Amino acid sequence: MNKPAVIIPVIIIVNACIWGFAMLISSNTLSGTGAYQQIQHILIGSAGTSLVVVGGGLAWLEKKLKSNE
């Protein structure tokens, strides 16, 4: 699990799952309504989580690779 060839795809898949979850929750919230305010917090939270997962995961990977050199 410490190999970049394993970690990078996992990070990408987790990020895709976060956005997929955001789309499902948004579509469920918006069914029959036209209110953006109801999904605004869901999308903002998902964007923040996406940044943490991808940014943090890749930063951790870079740190790990540098420590192995």
Side-chain angles (χ1 to χ4, degrees):
M1 184 71 179
N2 290 334
K3 296 180 182 179
V6 173
I7 295 173
I8 292 172
V10 168
I11 291 171
I12 293 169
I13 290 170
V14 168
N15 186 49
C17 289
I18 290 168
W19 282 107
F21 179 73
M23 286 187 272
L24 289 173
I25 296 299
S26 298
S27 66
N28 186 33
T29 302
L30 284 178
S31 62
T33 68
Y36 175 74
Q37 289 79 16
Q38 293 179 342
I39 66 160
Q40 182 177 10
H41 299 295
I42 297 169
L43 296 176
I44 290 170
S46 296
T49 305
S50 176
L51 285 173
V52 169
V53 168
V54 174
L58 294 178
W60 174 81
L61 179 62
E62 180 182 10
K63 183 178 177 181
K64 180 99 173 140
L65 290 174
K66 284 185 179 180
S67 69
N68 287 340
E69 291 179 356

